[in-house]
Amino acid sequence: MLDKKNNLELFGDFKERTINAKLRFSAILFFLFFGYFLITLKIISLSASYNKELFKNVFKQNKLMSGFRADIIDRNGVLLATSIIQDDLVVNPRAIRKNKKKIISKEISKILPELDFEHILKKLESRKSFVYLKRSIPPKKSNEIMKIGEPNISLVQRYVRHYPHKKHASHILGAVNIDNQGIKGIESKFDKTLKDEDFAKNNKLQLSIDINLQKIMDYHLNQTINKHSAEGGAGIILDVKSSEILAMNSLPQFNPNQIHKMNKKMEFNNATLGVYELGSLFKPLTAAIALDIDILTEDTVFDARKPLIEGKFTIHDYKPKKRKLKFSECILYSSNICLAQVGNKIGEKNMKEYFEKMKLTSKPEIELPEIAEPILPNIWRKTNLMTMSYGHGIAISPLQYVNAINSVINGGKFRYSTLIKNKNYNENLSLKVISEDTSKRVRKLLREVVRNKEGSGDNAEIEGYSIAGKTGTAIKNKKNRYIKDETITSFVGFFPSYDPKFLVFIMVDNPKPIKETFYYATGGTVAAPTVKKIINEIIPKLRVVPEADKENEFLQHVNLTKQF
């Protein structure tokens, strides 16, 4: 009986201890979970505070966010590209109360109709603490949005690129992306320099171009393209003495302030990235080679009585004279038949040697990333020599041609064209291409092309200014197929012929015949008159004074035979 009682007491004591242990364990678990809950709340609270603080700190950086770039100016100090401050609309979605998000989205969509309600709401429902609602928002719109009164919507200031002249010089200047990184043109080529803080604070990048000359060329080339319903074009104005580009364009153009509206055709740089068979523009180059190696004189006679047949090819003249021609007449009348014979006489070795000196066989150099390689035949057969002599079977960019023809007319020395002012000031013209005498003789031949009423370039003549030049009309080559009814028309003019200072090149892509030009669409009827208009307008700005005495002296004293 006593044992039973003792056993019951022991059992009761054990039960009590068990209950107490369970209570203590439960209490411990409670305090653990409660502590975890408090810690979690604290973390959430700290995270929210951090996000708010981070969001606020971003707003405090309004004075200098990012993207500051050095200014770009033209040769006269006129501003071409600069950095301005614009507002971006940003939001902290995590801090906005859920029941307010739809209301705020509707309000913003009314102020910014280009952003629909769903688009805004989706951004406000993001779990992020920093979201862009709209970049580059106008001040009037941003003020309206701030009046909504939501503290978690604010403005962040940043630098954006501004181009005051819009489309003018767009293919030279290029563009930047939304993060102010250079993606085209000068902006891309000099991206690192323009972004450098020390450079940007103390310097401007000065180009060789004159924005006034650029606008003149843009206007007249645009007029020609519209008049002839052409597909596009390109132009270059060059300072012959320094090889500085004073203007260069490619049409159609784009507005670098609105790169989102740019399409592939606008983006493409016809002047440096496009390669074309330029036709008769190559004849002065061929003439320079032939005269320099002394295989002919201006009086050498070539048979142009009938088309020239070589294998399966037949070479015609656009306006055949059907008689024998002196070489000077071959250039004057732009005879393919004559120049094909000259190309054959020059031979592969000489042609390659001179083409290399003129930098026609390699990629040209310029301060732009958009540069094309020339297209040349793999094997230089007899037919290739004949066709290349009058500008078919070889495709180069307008820039590459301007470099080559400048080496012919400037006294015979090659130097790459540049877009940077004074870059070549202390550099010597080290590469001799042709003799100075050959250069003079070619210039006289090209003066006749414009001065003589029978010349193909007579539509470029301006009395008193001694314009010289050459027309080009080439059947368009698309994917190794010649399109009979499509042409590339061009004209290169320079003045004064006795001492060239400036060169103007114009190319028009596939102009259509019109009544005004008697239904012709050639270099002489389309490009040459355009160059004349451009030169007429830029002459006063370049302060070129007519000097008739010097031209007469030049025409009288330049020998028509090789000097030894």
Side-chain angles (χ1 to χ4, degrees):
M1 192 72 180
L2 185 62
D3 291 339
K4 188 176 180 180
K5 186 178 179 180
N6 290 336
N7 287 338
L8 285 171
E9 287 177 357
L10 287 169
F11 178 74
D13 187 50
F14 175 75
K15 187 176 181 181
E16 186 178 349
R17 287 200 305 272
T18 302
I19 290 169
N20 289 337
K22 284 183 177 180
L23 288 171
R24 285 196 299 273
F25 182 70
S26 296
I28 290 168
L29 284 177
F30 171 76
F31 285 116
L32 281 172
F33 280 113
F34 185 69
Y36 177 76
F37 176 71
L38 289 176
I39 291 168
T40 303
L41 280 178
K42 186 64 177 175
I43 290 170
I44 292 170
S45 175
L46 287 171
S47 178
S49 299
Y50 173 76
N51 286 329
K52 286 181 180 178
E53 195 63 33
L54 180 65
F55 193 64
K56 288 176 182 177
N57 287 339
V58 172
F59 296 149
K60 287 178 183 177
Q61 296 174 18
N62 284 358
K63 287 185 179 179
L64 264 175
M65 277 300 293
S66 62
F68 186 74
R69 299 170 71 88
D71 288 347
I72 302 174
I73 57 175
D74 84 343
R75 68 185 300 105
N76 301 311
V78 178
L79 192 64
L80 302 177
T82 190
S83 295
I84 61 172
I85 295 174
Q86 282 197 349
D87 293 326
D88 289 340
L89 187 65
V90 296
V91 62
N92 181 357
R94 295 181 66 172
I96 298 176
R97 288 165 53 188
K98 191 173 183 181
N99 61 350
K100 292 176 66 179
K101 292 186 178 184
K102 285 188 177 180
I103 298 168
I104 292 170
S105 297
K106 285 180 182 177
E107 290 294 321
I108 293 175
S109 65
K110 289 177 184 176
I111 299 168
L112 301 173
E114 66 271 23
L115 301 180
D116 58 47
F117 168 76
E118 289 79 11
H119 174 80
I120 298 167
L121 183 61
K122 185 178 179 181
K123 289 199 169 188
L124 293 187
E125 289 179 340
S126 167
R127 296 179 63 83
K128 297 178 180 179
S129 57
F130 186 90
V131 173
Y132 284 102
L133 279 183
K134 182 172 174 59
R135 297 275 197 131
S136 299
I137 184 170
K140 186 179 178 182
K141 299 283 187 181
S142 64
N143 290 335
E144 290 180 42
I145 291 171
M146 290 301 101
K147 287 178 183 177
I148 293 173
E150 172 53 54
N152 294 292
I153 296 177
S154 191
L155 300 172
V156 171
Q157 290 184 326
R158 66 183 172 92
Y159 284 109
V160 297
R161 208 60 162 157
H162 177 65
Y163 304 88
H165 303 282
K166 300 178 182 178
K167 66 181 180 179
H168 300 292
S170 56
H171 287 93
I172 295 173
L173 294 171
V176 298
N177 62 18
I178 199 164
D179 296 314
N180 247 16
Q181 306 294 318
I183 56 172
K184 290 183 64 61
I186 289 287
E187 293 279 26
S188 174
K189 189 72 174 180
F190 291 89
D191 189 51
K192 188 175 180 180
T193 301
L194 293 167
K195 289 190 298 187
D196 182 84
E197 287 186 20
D198 291 334
F199 182 86
K201 286 177 183 177
N202 304 301
N203 300 281
K204 301 177 191 296
L205 182 62
Q206 187 164 35
L207 304 187
S208 61
I209 69 168
D210 181 328
I211 194 62
N212 293 315
L213 302 186
Q214 183 76 38
K215 289 178 178 179
I216 290 169
M217 186 168 69
D218 287 352
Y219 172 78
H220 288 293
L221 184 54
N222 255 309
Q223 290 286 98
T224 298
I225 288 170
N226 293 333
K227 182 192 288 188
H228 289 273
S229 304
E231 294 177 20
I236 298 173
I237 302 176
L238 186 77
D239 183 317
V240 172
K241 305 296 185 186
S242 66
S243 295
E244 290 183 358
I245 291 175
L246 303 179
M248 181 169 71
N249 65 7
S250 171
L251 273 67
Q253 295 163 304
F254 63 91
N255 184 346
N257 295 310
Q258 301 173 324
I259 58 170
H260 60 283
K261 294 183 179 180
M262 178 174 64
N263 59 38
K264 286 186 177 180
K265 193 170 183 180
M266 292 176 181
E267 180 182 11
F268 191 81
N269 190 339
N270 296 321
T272 63
L273 197 55
V275 291
Y276 310 91
E277 295 188 16
L278 294 174
S280 296
L281 286 192
F282 261 72
K283 289 171 182 172
L285 308 183
T286 305
I289 299 169
L291 290 169
D292 208 57
I293 61 176
D294 196 23
I295 59 170
L296 53 72
T297 70
E298 290 82 351
D299 294 324
T300 302
V301 175
F302 292 89
D303 190 350
R305 289 176 293 180
K306 57 184 179 181
L308 187 63
I309 298 172
E310 180 61 39
K312 62 179 181 179
F313 299 100
T314 303
I315 297 170
H316 302 268
D317 280 345
Y318 180 65
K319 290 183 177 180
K321 294 298 175 181
K322 298 182 180 179
R323 63 179 176 83
K324 292 182 178 181
L325 301 173
K326 291 180 180 180
F327 182 65
S328 58
E329 293 178 303
C330 296
I331 298 297
L332 180 68
Y333 302 130
S334 198
S335 170
N336 295 337
I337 296 171
C338 291
L339 269 293
Q341 295 173 64
V342 175
N344 189 36
K345 285 171 70 74
I346 288 172
E348 179 184 352
K349 182 177 178 294
N350 286 324
M351 190 172 283
K352 278 186 175 179
E353 180 186 335
Y354 277 85
F355 275 19
E356 285 171 6
K357 287 181 183 179
M358 295 174 186
K359 305 294 185 184
L360 293 170
T361 59
S362 57
K363 189 175 180 178
E365 296 176 10
I366 189 75
E367 297 85 3
L368 295 174
E370 300 85 13
I371 311 172
E373 294 266 6
I375 300 174
L376 300 136
N378 294 323
I379 301 172
W380 293 36
R381 298 184 176 90
K382 183 180 179 181
T383 50
N384 297 117
L385 299 177
M386 295 171 81
T387 59
M388 284 193 294
S389 68
Y390 58 87
H392 279 80
I394 177 171
I396 62 172
S397 67
L399 172 70
Q400 192 158 21
Y401 177 77
V402 166
N403 288 339
I405 191 66
N406 191 36
S407 73
V408 169
I409 67 165
N410 71 5
K413 297 175 182 177
F414 184 90
R415 178 164 56 187
Y416 283 114
S417 302
T418 180
L419 286 164
I420 304 300
K421 186 179 179 181
N422 293 335
K423 180 182 177 182
N424 293 331
Y425 187 74
N426 293 318
E427 293 181 12
N428 293 321
L429 292 170
S430 57
L431 181 58
K432 189 78 172 174
V433 178
I434 57 174
S435 71
E436 192 168 338
D437 177 64
T438 299
S439 179
K440 288 179 181 177
R441 294 167 75 186
V442 173
R443 293 204 306 270
K444 180 173 181 183
L445 291 172
L446 298 182
R447 174 67 185 122
E448 284 299 306
V449 169
V450 177
R451 189 175 75 96
N452 194 311
K453 288 296 180 185
E454 293 189 55
S456 60
D458 68 312
N459 282 329
E461 173 70 342
I462 301 173
E463 187 175 353
Y465 288 96
S466 191
I467 311 295
K470 187 69 190 78
T471 56
T473 308
I475 300 171
K476 203 168 175 180
N477 188 329
K478 288 183 176 179
K479 297 178 181 178
N480 293 321
R481 289 185 60 194
Y482 288 102
I483 312 300
K484 186 179 179 182
D485 297 325
E486 296 187 18
T487 59
I488 296 290
T489 65
S490 51
F491 183 79
V492 61
F494 57 90
F495 63 99
S497 62
Y498 49 82
D499 182 21
K501 291 182 174 63
F502 303 102
L503 177 152
V504 181
F505 168 95
I506 286 293
M507 182 198 78
V508 182
D509 184 356
N510 195 26
K512 310 301 183 294
I514 58 173
K515 185 178 180 180
E516 184 182 325
T517 58
F518 303 99
Y519 298 102
Y520 286 110
T522 63
T525 57
V526 176
T530 306
V531 170
K532 178 178 180 177
K533 290 173 185 175
I534 292 169
I535 293 176
N536 251 328
E537 198 166 341
I538 68 175
I539 276 173
K541 297 183 183 301
L542 296 173
R543 298 175 183 175
V544 179
V545 179
E547 298 179 82
D549 292 343
K550 285 191 176 181
E551 173 169 28
N552 292 333
E553 185 180 348
F554 170 68
L555 294 176
Q556 289 172 11
H557 290 88
V558 174
N559 292 330
L560 295 181
T561 56
K562 180 73 176 179
Q563 291 182 349
F564 296 96

